[in-house]
Amino acid sequence: MMAEPVKLIGCFSSPVVHRAEVTLRLKGVPYELITKDLNNKSELLLRHNPVHQKVPVLLHGDRPAICESLVIVEYVDEAFQGPLLMPADPLARTAARFWASFMDKEVN
């Protein structure tokens, strides 16, 4: 059985796109990076993220698009084989989510 294709819509200069790429690489998931010019948003980006019109966007086979880097990290961690990236313990996982969210809001 062939694996469903994984595509990541992004751009080279975005730290949130890099977060999604690192997650895919750590899990060993082959993917295609589709780079977009954010000053001239493509039909592909607008179709798959019509609400925020931002990258990254993960496309996995025929499933609905997954938007927002932290959501992509959690999806990839749960949907693909490989080492767990988030702690198994619920309290530790909650703390990891807190700090990831904090970094998103305070650093970006």
Side-chain angles (χ1 to χ4, degrees):
M1 180 168 92
M2 223 173 137
E4 295 178 286
V6 175
K7 298 178 182 183
L8 184 65
I9 302 171
C11 63
F12 288 115
S13 62
S14 170
V16 292
V17 172
H18 296 304
R19 176 189 291 154
E21 284 190 280
V22 167
T23 301
L24 288 163
R25 289 178 184 174
L26 286 172
K27 293 295 274 194
V29 177
Y31 68 97
E32 174 188 354
L33 177 63
I34 302 170
T35 56
K36 294 296 172 186
D37 175 4
L38 298 184
N39 293 320
N40 185 19
K41 296 181 179 175
S42 70
E43 177 59 33
L44 180 69
L45 176 61
L46 298 176
R47 182 173 64 241
H48 289 293
N49 192 356
V51 175
H52 297 292
Q53 303 177 359
K54 295 180 182 179
V55 295
V57 177
L58 184 79
L59 306 175
H60 182 202
D62 293 332
R63 294 169 179 80
I66 302 164
C67 306
E68 302 294 326
S69 66
L70 292 176
V71 176
I72 291 170
V73 167
E74 289 190 27
Y75 173 78
V76 170
D77 196 22
E78 295 173 8
F80 295 96
Q81 298 290 322
L84 287 178
L85 304 176
M86 295 290 282
D89 175 68
L91 187 57
R93 194 168 50 249
T94 299
R97 286 182 179 134
F98 169 82
W99 287 112
S101 177
F102 175 82
M103 293 300 289
D104 249 9
K105 292 174 186 166
E106 299 300 324
V107 175
N108 290 330

